[in-house]
Amino acid sequence: MTTIMDGKKLRDKILSGLKSEIQTFDKKPVLAVILAGDDAASRIYVNNKKKTAENLGIKSIVIEYPADVGENILLEKIEELNLDKEINAILVQLPLPAHIDKQKVIDTIAPIKDVDCFTIENSGRLYTGLEPYVYPCTPQGILYLLDEYKINLEGKHVVVIGRSNLVGKPAAQLALKRNATVTVCHSHTRNLSDITKTADVLISAVGEVLIEDDMMKDDCVVIDVGIFRDCNGKVRGDVNFETVSKKASYITPVPGGVGPMTIASLMVNTVKLYKEQNKRSS
Ligand code: GUN
């Protein structure tokens, strides 16, 4: 029997606990989001983040810039936010316009306010086994789902498809921390399905239809991080849900699987940073 992992339900559960916790705080946590350029999907994501934050009692400030914004303007704004004691968490929405040095901008964020865990210091902590303040939102969301459905990764073969800094690499690292045997596949991988057929847990973060049922073994756990609109305008993921869901033991739907978990993680991370900063100043 296949279980469909319900990201919306788990998001609501996490957020309702978080809302009660926030009500006990003396002041609201504050999340600052920088949005540069006119990427339509980014705008939707940022609006969603803002709405979710405000429903919980997190104040959210969105700072918008046109696509031709100078890099220095972004760096100066981040430095200002770093110094501002009212701001607990800073998120630079990706992608940034092409002329901007993304890593330079991200690395300007004070590590204690880096809600995505994207700075070199925080990713260094993650990859050396030291604990960063928070984990990157989407991989953290995947862990929440695995925990909710009591899926233990120890000794399992976890195959991650995609090697982005946003999802693939940190997801692989977190699986490794849970004592999985991890394989990372990407666009240059040969004989992809020979590898995916040996996966106990398959995490796909590619953004195109890729995973068919003949690429996996029976009872595989399938986590679909991909999300895009197909040529008919339908929102879908990397996995052929119709066929794969008949064979998997657990599977995340798109939409309604990993996506809501990313936003839940962002809210949890904002509160974690708020608490860490309050601990330090008290
Ligand atoms: N763009 C798409 N996903 C993310 C994310 O998790 N964080 C940031 N900062 N930008 C994104």
Side-chain angles (χ1 to χ4, degrees):
M1 210 190 69
T2 305
T3 302
I4 296 173
M5 302 168 92
D6 189 340
K8 287 188 188 162
K9 192 167 154 198
L10 181 55
R11 171 199 62 197
D12 292 346
K13 181 170 140 186
I14 291 172
L15 294 186
S16 105
L18 203 61
K19 187 170 185 169
S20 311
E21 187 182 359
I22 292 169
Q23 280 163 356
T24 69
F25 294 167
D26 297 339
K27 59 186 176 69
K28 285 185 173 187
V30 183
L31 167 68
V33 178
I34 292 183
L35 174 61
D38 39 27
D39 185 271
S42 288
R43 186 166 294 279
I44 294 171
Y45 292 146
V46 167
N47 284 341
N48 224 341
K49 288 168 184 174
K50 186 172 171 64
K51 220 167 65 189
T52 308
E54 295 196 333
N55 276 336
L56 290 182
I58 293 175
K59 182 174 170 193
S60 142
I61 300 168
V62 179
I63 306 150
E64 292 190 39
Y65 295 97
D68 62 355
V69 62
E71 190 174 285
N72 273 347
I73 305 277
L74 297 184
L75 300 182
E76 279 165 23
K77 176 50 82 177
I78 292 170
E79 274 159 8
E80 183 190 314
L81 296 170
N82 284 343
L83 292 174
D84 185 341
K85 290 200 162 40
E86 293 302 308
I87 306 289
N88 304 110
I90 303 171
L91 180 146
V92 175
Q93 184 65 29
L94 301 175
L96 284 173
H99 66 282
I100 289 178
D101 181 342
K102 176 179 77 176
Q103 197 60 44
K104 189 169 171 192
V105 169
I106 288 170
D107 279 326
T108 306
I109 302 172
I112 186 74
K113 296 191 177 184
D114 172 21
V115 73
D116 271 318
C117 186
F118 284 168
T119 58
I120 288 188
E121 177 173 330
N122 286 333
S123 29
R125 285 178 163 272
L126 180 64
Y127 294 110
T128 51
L130 293 169
E131 282 299 301
Y133 305 107
V134 294
Y135 291 145
C137 298
T138 300
Q140 171 68 80
I142 294 171
L143 290 188
Y144 286 145
L145 275 170
L146 294 172
D147 289 343
E148 177 71 8
Y149 289 88
K150 303 200 173 9
I151 298 163
N152 184 356
L153 295 186
E154 185 160 342
K156 303 263 177 73
H157 186 202
V158 174
V159 174
V160 179
I161 311 179
R163 55 176 162 173
S164 70
N165 289 338
L166 224 65
V167 183
K169 276 189 260 180
Q173 185 61 24
L174 291 181
L176 207 52
K177 277 170 94 75
R178 295 221 167 164
N179 296 326
T181 301
V182 181
T183 304
V184 180
C185 301
H186 47 78
S187 52
H188 295 255
T189 297
R190 293 189 193 144
N191 305 323
L192 178 67
S193 65
D194 287 349
I195 299 169
T196 55
K197 274 180 193 161
T198 69
D200 299 307
V201 178
L202 187 57
I203 301 175
S204 185
V206 177
E208 61 181 271
V209 183
L210 198 68
I211 310 298
E212 300 289 344
D213 60 343
D214 61 359
M215 295 174 68
M216 50 177 281
K217 64 179 184 184
D218 284 340
D219 293 334
C220 183
V221 174
V222 180
I223 308 288
D224 190 350
V225 188
I227 184 158
F228 59 99
R229 268 182 207 281
D230 69 12
C231 52
N232 302 314
K234 183 173 179 275
V235 173
R236 51 164 310 155
D238 295 351
V239 172
N240 184 342
F241 189 84
E242 293 287 294
T243 55
V244 170
S245 61
K246 295 192 172 73
K247 207 168 167 186
S249 54
Y250 293 85
I251 185 167
T252 60
V254 178
V258 175
M261 299 311 303
T262 298
I263 228 165
S265 302
L266 174 64
M267 301 301 135
V268 172
N269 285 359
T270 301
V271 169
K272 280 189 183 162
L273 295 182
Y274 168 90
K275 291 201 285 195
E276 182 64 32
Q277 289 158 32
N278 280 357
K279 203 164 78 188
R280 288 181 179 200
S281 62
S282 64

